[in-house]
Amino acid sequence: MPLNNEIDEKADELLAKMALAEKIGQMVQIAGPKGPIPDDLKQRLREGKIGSMLNVTDPQTNLEIQRIAAEESRLGIPLIMARDVIHGFRTLFPIPLAQAATWDPQLAEACAKAAAKEARSAGFQWTFAPMMDIARDPRWGRVAEGFGEDPVLAARFASAMVRGFQGSDLSDPGSIAACAKHFAGYGAAEGGRDYDTANIPENLLRDVYLPPFKAAVDAGVATVMSAFNEINGIPATGNIRLLRHILRNEWGFSGFVVSDWRSVAEMIDHGFCEDMKDAAEKSVLAGVDMEMQSSAYADHLEKLAMEGTVPRTLIDEAVRRILRIKWRLGLFNKPAPYYAKPADAPSMEDRELSRTAALKSIVLLKNKNRLLPLSKNIRSLAVIGPLADDPYEVLGTWNRDGRAEDAVTPLAAVRNFLGESFRIHYSAGLDYSRSSDTGQFARALEEAQRSEAVLLFVGEEAILSGEAHSRAYLNLPGSQEALIAEIARSGKPIVLVILAGRPLTIGAVTQYADAVLYAWHPGTMCGPAIVDLIFGNESPSGKLPITFPKTEGQIPVYHAHKSTGRPPENVPLTMMEDIPLRAYQSSLGDASRYLDIGYLPLYPFGYGLSYTEFVYANIKMSSNRIRMDEPFEASVEVTNTGGMEAEEVVQLYIRDLTASLTRPVRELKDFERIRLKPKETRTVVFHLSTDVLGFHNSVMEYVVEPGRFHLWIGGDSTTTLMTEFAVVR
Ligand code: BGC
């Protein structure tokens, strides 16, 4: 890779040769043609009027477009070919939310690396990933694409995936440019409705929503995407404060910013821009270097520059940023380093990686009487449910280049694992997750009755999460709840496996099941990963990266909430059904909670069971009086007291008890995944510095305030193993 200053020189040399129209061309990104390349597109390429394309999936078309740009345009500048490689290319890994449930950023890095290799050989040098929007509302369909509710967890995954996609050299055949998206606040959409307004106080923005982006920038992310939403009244795509002041000036981001799909034009609908010309002006001034899909730049930027409304230096700056990334990607190397071949079927190695990722992402929510792992003595099993044998749906949202034929369903994997002599009784029960046709229920019940145990696969089809797929009800769609109740009539032990793109309100159905596994959308190796867990080849070790609400009315509910003046845990609470008629108001317990569901979520953040038991003891700190700016250690002994070797995610939380701005009741600060043999004890030591204890105060300074703190270490966010310390000057 050429050195940074060489790249700067090359970019400047090229820039000096470029006409204004050619410069603006670099700032234009459009979707590729569906069929043959139309003549007018060829002409635009020859004139150097397109800098990048997305979704050019036909390898021949991809190469031909690059050839025209490189050979027939005046300056021969290649395009960057982009694609949404969100959780894999041909090999699909678990959806990002599921990857976050592994609490294993290195594993996510490996998945991103594998995806980059497949994507680059298919002709793409740029992915619009990772998405790192903090999401505390599971109604939002895009919660599937991110890393959940917590800034520390999301930041670790954001930087890991950037490293995985980009490698150490963007010009390597296994590297692609990453894109930190959607900058910023997209996950805070009102009501969980996609694209909706975000109002985020600046300190919350800086403490919760921005840290993953900062981590991505620190990891060297090549590009950033501006979000669709408005934030505090200003669309993210026209937001000077976000894109110039914070991203470039404060953080020193040196890559380029791309808009989201038509988000420049959509500023007119937001009521922020008069027309397309105004939209071009506002986004370029804000710092959007490349416009995706709408044509405000192509149609108006030249005029705006000629008039002097948009300084030419700003255009030069944007183009320089884009050209630098093209150089770093090696696009100018000779012979041309772009290749585009149809993707091969997933390699054995990638399949194994996908299986490991799925295995570690699946969360065991319930295991009554230790039903799981299933006893080796069972001779017959019923496999039931609309998602038991659907190879397409297990791949999840943003499956652009994966194929159902590569995926292994749970039914196929169970059959493969148990072999011919075992009796497997299969019935879908419902044709698909939303179906309300109960016509197959009787047959499904029969299959359950003639088996010793039931594996029941329910959830959401892939299309029910992802972009623009918000839901107001978060229960199992269609007649799936009724199917579960029906199968329960068999009296057979039930293992409920839920495949979904978001937390679902499953409280009403878990009572019917002895064991519940939350499998998200696991990707290509769904079946084998689930089989490994059900039959005990491995113990479940996934932990929830997002709180599960009891019901939609409880949203938002997340672990790092604030305390009120009347915390519910301090008073006896009378629940709705127990309220005497005409009760005196304050006899019920005046506290922050719901009369009908209390205040606890269905499952807390960080939660997940194992087949073994982990006991935490001896929480210690290097000192209970820590000087400002000094490193310190917190440690705990974890013992596997059960009978199986297994992995556990050890989580460290703190609370700053008194501060000039109130702090959350718990904040995750660190975590580590460990593997322990039966009876093994390990001391897990976290190395921290007081720097992680701070927050943005009322004048937006990042401060660590002296005073008392609580520190917990345990297996989820409700752990009670606590110690106290003070930070002193
Ligand atoms: C999404 C982005 C995506 C882009 C390109 C938009 O609709 O919001 O996340 O990268 O399309 O496909």
Side-chain angles (χ1 to χ4, degrees):
M1 186 171 81
L3 296 170
N4 270 346
N5 48 6
E6 278 178 56
I7 289 185
D8 278 338
E9 274 170 31
K10 286 181 169 165
D12 282 336
E13 265 169 39
L14 188 53
L15 206 57
K17 294 187 199 148
M18 292 170 84
L20 180 59
E22 287 164 327
K23 290 179 184 172
I24 292 165
Q26 288 304 307
M27 300 169 72
V28 171
Q29 182 189 54
I30 58 168
K34 295 266 182 282
I37 311 170
D39 287 342
D40 59 335
L41 179 56
K42 286 186 181 159
Q43 191 51 30
R44 284 177 80 186
L45 289 164
R46 286 187 195 109
E47 289 169 7
K49 291 198 169 155
I50 294 166
S52 171
M53 278 197 196
L54 69 159
N55 301 339
V56 183
T57 47
D58 174 55
Q60 285 317 313
T61 311
N62 185 315
L63 288 177
E64 178 58 7
I65 288 171
Q66 290 288 35
R67 193 199 59 76
I68 298 174
E71 292 173 14
E72 296 181 19
S73 75
R74 191 174 75 89
L75 295 168
I77 305 176
L79 274 66
I80 312 187
M81 292 292 189
R83 184 76 167 157
D84 289 277
V85 182
I86 308 296
H87 54 106
F89 189 73
R90 172 96 184 238
T91 310
L92 285 171
F93 300 101
I95 55 168
L97 186 62
Q99 292 193 36
T102 67
W103 294 58
D104 189 344
Q106 280 179 333
L107 186 58
E109 181 175 337
C111 296
K113 192 174 159 71
K117 195 163 155 231
E118 283 188 343
R120 184 111 192 199
S121 72
F124 300 106
Q125 303 92 24
W126 184 17
T127 175
F128 302 123
M131 178 184 115
M132 52 198 69
D133 298 302
I134 297 296
R136 294 178 162 179
D137 191 331
R139 291 173 297 183
W140 190 47
R142 301 198 80 169
V143 62
E145 287 177 60
F147 309 121
E149 73 183 37
D150 185 81
V152 169
L153 187 64
R156 296 270 180 94
F157 275 85
S159 49
M161 281 178 83
V162 167
R163 286 195 302 272
F165 285 128
Q166 298 195 165
S168 53
D169 181 346
L170 279 182
S171 69
D172 279 347
S175 296
I176 55 179
C179 182
K181 75 184 188 185
H182 306 84
F183 196 64
Y186 186 38
E190 273 180 1
R193 291 177 297 272
D194 206 1
Y195 317 123
D196 217 321
T197 305
N199 276 306
I200 310 176
E202 175 113 8
N203 61 324
L204 196 65
L205 181 71
R206 287 181 176 270
D207 288 337
V208 173
Y209 291 89
L210 295 187
F213 290 94
K214 173 71 165 58
V217 169
D218 290 345
V221 73
T223 69
V224 168
M225 185 185 290
S226 69
F228 281 129
N229 55 287
E230 65 167 70
I231 172 165
N232 305 341
I234 301 179
T237 296
N239 205 307
I240 295 189
R241 182 150 173 64
L242 280 178
L243 298 175
R244 270 189 205 285
H245 298 176
I246 296 180
L247 183 64
R248 287 178 170 77
N249 301 348
E250 272 183 42
W251 298 353
F253 172 64
S254 62
F256 72 86
V257 173
V258 63
S259 77
D260 202 345
W261 180 276
R262 300 194 77 258
S263 68
V264 172
E266 288 177 10
M267 292 201 292
I268 302 169
D269 301 276
H270 276 288
F272 186 70
C273 298
E274 182 88 35
D275 51 24
M276 288 289 265
K277 188 173 174 205
D278 192 23
E281 177 186 333
K282 291 211 167 96
S283 37
V284 112
L285 293 181
V288 174
D289 304 305
M290 184 181 278
E291 179 186 10
M292 186 194 291
Q293 192 59 14
S294 45
S295 60
Y297 286 10
D299 297 342
H300 301 286
L301 209 44
E302 199 167 345
K303 183 136 196 288
L304 285 164
M306 309 282 267
E307 288 167 4
T309 324
V310 167
R312 293 198 186 206
T313 49
L314 278 192
I315 294 178
D316 283 355
E317 186 203 302
V319 178
R320 190 179 292 114
R321 285 171 179 272
I322 295 165
L323 291 177
R324 284 171 49 93
I325 298 295
K326 290 192 174 183
W327 248 295
R328 285 182 53 202
L329 284 165
L331 294 176
F332 289 99
N333 294 357
K334 297 279 181 262
Y338 29 85
Y339 13 78
K341 332 188 279 253
D344 294 328
S347 67
M348 283 310 290
E349 205 187 342
D350 289 351
R351 279 184 177 276
E352 213 31 63
L353 182 61
S354 178
R355 176 186 187 148
T356 304
L359 184 88
K360 294 193 184 195
S361 74
I362 296 172
V363 185
L364 178 66
L365 296 176
K366 176 178 179 182
N367 198 12
K368 197 169 109 198
N369 303 328
R370 296 189 176 273
L371 173 65
L372 289 178
L374 281 189
S375 150
K376 303 268 183 296
N377 299 328
I378 290 183
R379 299 311 312 155
S380 63
L381 264 184
V383 177
I384 294 173
L387 294 172
D389 195 28
D390 191 326
Y392 177 77
E393 303 302 348
V394 303
L395 298 176
T397 183
W398 275 123
N399 165 19
R400 283 288 200 255
D401 301 280
R403 300 199 194 158
E405 75 217 42
D406 297 333
V408 186
T409 66
L411 178 65
V414 169
R415 284 201 168 121
N416 183 41
F417 179 75
L418 294 173
E420 294 298 312
S421 62
F422 200 94
R423 292 193 306 283
I424 295 165
H425 305 127
Y426 167 66
S427 164
L430 290 162
D431 282 337
Y432 57 104
S433 76
R434 283 164 298 152
S435 167
S436 4
D437 176 358
T438 58
Q440 300 170 53
F441 276 25
R443 153 106 201 277
L445 180 58
E446 266 170 42
E447 302 297 14
Q449 278 160 341
R450 62 197 190 100
S451 308
E452 286 170 72
V454 182
L455 306 182
L456 187 41
F457 295 88
V458 295
E460 281 181 326
E461 291 145 71
I463 194 74
L464 298 185
S465 57
E467 186 174 345
H469 298 157
S470 298
R471 292 181 61 199
Y473 293 109
L474 294 181
N475 55 345
L476 289 165
S479 293
Q480 295 184 101
E481 291 187 358
L483 174 66
I484 298 168
E486 183 69 10
I487 299 303
R489 289 180 45 217
S490 69
K492 299 298 166 74
I494 295 178
V495 178
L496 190 64
V497 183
I498 297 159
L499 297 115
R502 56 156 69 79
L504 295 176
T505 52
I506 49 173
V509 291
T510 52
Q511 53 166 321
Y512 297 115
D514 301 84
V516 180
L517 284 169
Y518 213 84
W520 319 100
H521 287 136
T524 305
M525 294 299 276
C526 166
I530 291 174
V531 159
D532 280 339
L533 296 179
I534 288 179
F535 296 100
N537 295 340
E538 272 290 331
S539 167
S541 57
K543 300 272 187 173
L544 299 178
I546 183 166
T547 306
F548 273 42
K550 285 185 178 148
T551 176
E552 303 83 10
Q554 196 183 18
I555 297 168
V557 56
Y558 50 93
H559 76 286
H561 65 87
K562 301 286 190 76
S563 176
T564 67
R566 295 184 174 190
E569 53 276 14
N570 291 353
V571 280
L573 300 173
T574 309
M575 298 302 289
M576 185 114 114
E577 57 276 18
D578 302 321
I579 303 175
L581 204 58
R582 298 193 176 67
Y584 181 64
Q585 168 75 37
S586 59
S587 62
L588 305 176
D590 288 345
S592 326
R593 51 84 182 240
Y594 296 100
L595 283 177
D596 38 11
I597 59 159
Y599 62 95
L600 295 173
L602 185 60
Y603 299 108
F605 176 78
Y607 178 78
L609 303 170
S610 167
Y611 293 159
T612 193
E613 297 288 319
F614 292 102
V615 173
Y616 287 75
N618 271 333
I619 183 167
K620 275 196 201 133
M621 299 199 45
S622 45
S623 162
N624 288 84
R625 280 174 68 80
I626 295 159
R627 286 213 171 278
M628 197 73 84
D629 298 329
E630 255 179 28
F632 65 99
E633 285 170 8
S635 64
V636 75
E637 278 172 27
V638 190
T639 305
N640 178 350
T641 57
M644 183 174 177
E645 178 169 335
E647 298 195 0
E648 164 75 338
V649 179
V650 182
Q651 304 162 37
L652 183 149
Y653 297 86
I654 62 121
R655 177 172 182 181
D656 182 347
L657 295 181
T658 316
S660 61
L661 287 185
T662 61
R663 306 302 304 137
V665 296
R666 275 193 196 199
E667 293 177 87
L668 178 74
K669 288 296 165 191
D670 209 345
F671 56 90
E672 191 178 329
R673 186 179 252 276
I674 57 169
R675 188 174 183 94
L676 293 183
K677 296 201 166 50
K679 311 294 173 258
E680 186 182 345
T681 298
R682 170 121 22 114
T683 303
V684 178
V685 184
F686 292 99
H687 303 274
L688 302 157
S689 79
T690 52
D691 205 37
V692 303
L693 304 174
F695 60 91
H696 288 87
N697 68 11
S698 56
V699 288
M700 290 318 122
E701 286 159 353
Y702 184 80
V703 287
V704 181
E705 293 183 346
R708 283 166 60 220
F709 288 77
H710 283 172
L711 183 145
W712 295 262
I713 306 181
D716 67 48
S717 62
T718 64
T719 171
T720 51
L721 188 65
M722 192 257 283
T723 182
E724 204 179 309
F725 66 96
V727 171
V728 295
R729 285 207 194 280

